[in-house]
Amino acid sequence: MNTVYLDNAATTRIAPEVLEAMLPFLKGEFGNPSSFHSFGSSQMEAIEKARGQVARLLGARSEEIYFTSGGTESDNQALRGAVKIDPDRKGIVTSAVEHPAVLETAKALEDEGCTLGVADVNNNGELDLDSLRELVNDKTAIVSIMAANNETGVIMPLKEAAEIAHKAGALFHTDAVQLVGKSPVDVHSLDIDLLSLSAHKLHGPKGVGVIYIKKGIELPPILTGGHQEKGVRSGTYNAPGIVGLGKAAELALTHLKDTVARERSLRESFEKRVLESCPGAFIVADDAANRLPGTVTVIFRGIESEAVLTLLDMQGIYASSGSACSTGSKNPSHVLYAMGVDYTQANSALRFSLSRYTTEEEIDRVVDLLSVVVERLRRISPYSE
Ligand code: PLP
C-alpha cells in the first residue's frame, strides 16, 4: 500500500543526504570527540562544521550555537537558566498556546517560586501584544514566545515581542522548532536572545537540537558534568546526531525558497478542495496574518477526529489530531481552547502537515479519500446537523 505521510509537524523523515553524512559516525568513527587521542578528537572538526551549518541557517555566529538533545531540552534550559541569572528577576511570561515543553516547564518553575504570566491569543491564534505588554515588568527574567504554533501553524510577531521583553530588561526566548526551515530566520535582526530548534522537524535525526544563546549572555546550565559545549551543556557529544543536524540545516537553507513556495501552494490547494468537498469543514486560524506554509488544522464539524484518523490510517494516510507531538493525550487541545474553539469542535480537529517531499498526487489522494470518509461518518454521526 502506498502511504501518505502528512504528520511532518510531529516529525519528519531523515533526508537521504543526512543519513549518508551520519553513517561514518555510526560505524567506524565511534571515538569520543572529547578524547585526547586523534581517533576521537578528529570528530570535533565535523561537529564544528555542523555548528557552522546551523549558525548559517539562523543568521547566528558559530559560537552562539550549543548542541542539546532536542527542542524540549533547549526550552527547559532557556527557562530554567534565565530565572537563575538575577535573584530579583524570577518572572516568566509566555503565551497560552506554547508547546508543553515551555508551558509545563514554566508551570513547574512557578511551583518552585517563580511567577508566571500567560499572554492571550485572539481567535486566529495570534499573540495579543497588549496582553503581553501588561504582564512584562522589571521582575521578568524571560519572555518566551513560540515562533510558529505546532497545531495551527500561526507565526508569531517575534520582533514586537522581543521589543516588549527588552524594554523591561528581560531576555527574549523563542521556541522556533516549527518555524526553522519553513521560513527565513535571522536571530540578530529579530533581536532574539535564546532560540530552540530540533533536528527531527527538519529531516534530521531525533534526539538532537540546538539552543542559540546570543553572545554575551551567560545562561546557567541545566546539565552539569563533563563541561562539553563550554560548560553550557555537559554530556558526551552525540556526533552522528550533530553531524546529521548540520547537514539537515544546510539542506533546509538550500531548499528554503522552494520549500516555502511548494508547501504553500500544496496547502492552499488542499484547503480549497477540502472546503469544497467536505461540507461543514472549516480552517482554523484561516484569517491569521501569517501562517506556516505547510501546516493546517481543519475542523470537520460534527465528526470525531479520531474516527477520521482511523479510517485514513487504514488507507495508509497519516495525519494527526491536534497536538500529537505532545503524547497521545486525549485532552482537548489547549491551543484551540485558548483560541475560543469549543470542546466539541476541538474534538473534530485534524492537523495535516506537509514537507518538502509531499507531492501533488499525495494531496489528491488525501482530498479524495477525506471527502468519502467525512461523508460516511457524517451519515452515522449522532452530532451531525
Ligand atoms: N516545541 C515545539 C513547538 C514542538 O512542536 C516540539 C515537538 O515535539 C517541541 C518543542 C519538542 O521538541 P523535541 O521533540 O525535539 O523535544
Side-chain angles (χ1 to χ4, degrees), residues 58-59 159 162 185-192 212:
L58 299 179
K159 209 172 160 69
V185 178
D186 185 301
V187 282
H188 293 153
S189 68
L190 288 168
D191 214 3
I192 292 166
Y212 152 83

Side-chain angles (χ1 to χ4, degrees), residues 179-304:
L179 187 83
V180 171
K182 305 280 182 175
S183 178
V185 178
D186 185 301
V187 282
H188 293 153
S189 68
L190 288 168
D191 214 3
I192 292 166
D193 299 311
L194 307 167
L195 174 146
S196 309
L197 75 80
S198 176
H200 74 100
K201 308 286 183 176
L202 40 126
H203 304 291
K206 293 169 181 62
V208 59
V210 149
I211 182 165
Y212 152 83
I213 305 175
K214 188 179 185 172
K215 197 173 173 199
I217 295 172
E218 288 194 17
L219 190 70
I222 52 170
L223 296 182
T224 45
H227 295 288
Q228 289 87 349
E229 295 294 80
K230 296 180 261 177
V232 172
R233 200 281 186 177
S234 292
T236 299
Y237 284 102
N238 170 4
I242 290 170
V243 168
L245 168 53
K247 190 69 192 173
E250 182 192 300
L251 290 169
L253 191 57
T254 307
H255 293 292
L256 188 59
K257 236 173 139 189
D258 288 354
T259 303
V260 173
R262 190 186 154 67
E263 287 187 22
R264 174 162 297 135
S265 139
L266 286 176
R267 189 219 348 125
E268 285 175 355
S269 142
F270 172 80
E271 290 180 2
K272 185 167 171 283
R273 290 162 64 197
V274 166
L275 293 181
E276 281 164 8
S277 59
C278 303
F282 71 94
I283 309 295
V284 172
D286 204 9
D287 294 326
N290 225 342
R291 282 161 62 199
L292 288 175
T295 299
V296 55
T297 288
V298 187
I299 289 181
F300 297 95
R301 281 192 198 88
I303 294 173
E304 289 254 349

Side-chain angles (χ1 to χ4, degrees), residues 9-10 69-72 75 99 101 146 148 150 175 177-178 198 200-201 325:
S69 67
T72 302
D75 287 345
H99 189 273
M146 69 196 328
N150 45 302
D175 173 339
V177 166
Q178 294 288 337
S198 176
H200 74 100
K201 308 286 183 176
C325 63

Side-chain angles (χ1 to χ4, degrees), residues 37-184:
H37 54 70
S38 58
F39 180 59
S41 62
S42 60
Q43 292 186 22
M44 279 319 282
E45 211 173 292
I47 289 173
E48 291 315 313
K49 181 178 171 195
R51 205 185 298 282
Q53 288 164 317
V54 175
R56 267 190 294 285
L57 181 62
L58 299 179
R61 300 180 184 93
S62 284
E63 68 263 33
E64 294 173 316
I65 303 298
Y66 298 85
F67 294 109
T68 66
S69 67
T72 302
E73 184 189 322
S74 300
D75 287 345
N76 266 268
Q77 179 157 9
L79 269 58
R80 291 178 186 279
V83 297
K84 280 197 208 144
I85 294 175
D86 178 348
D88 288 332
R89 284 186 182 263
K90 292 282 181 200
I92 300 166
V93 179
T94 186
S95 85
V97 295
E98 297 297 313
H99 189 273
V102 166
L103 266 186
E104 293 301 316
T105 305
K107 284 181 197 158
L109 286 166
E110 188 184 23
D111 290 344
E112 291 167 28
C114 294
T115 60
L116 173 60
V118 180
D120 300 328
V121 295
N122 65 18
N123 289 344
N124 276 310
E126 297 165 308
L127 179 68
D128 178 340
L129 287 167
D130 289 331
S131 157
L132 184 72
R133 222 170 265 118
E134 274 171 29
L135 294 166
V136 178
N137 56 45
D138 62 1
K139 298 280 178 239
T140 307
I142 183 166
V143 174
S144 179
I145 301 294
M146 69 196 328
N149 185 267
N150 45 302
E151 295 185 37
T152 60
V154 170
I155 296 177
M156 299 301 189
L158 295 187
K159 209 172 160 69
E160 291 80 353
E163 204 179 307
I164 293 172
H166 292 151
K167 239 186 196 162
L171 291 176
F172 181 70
H173 165 250
T174 186
D175 173 339
V177 166
Q178 294 288 337
L179 187 83
V180 171
K182 305 280 182 175
S183 178

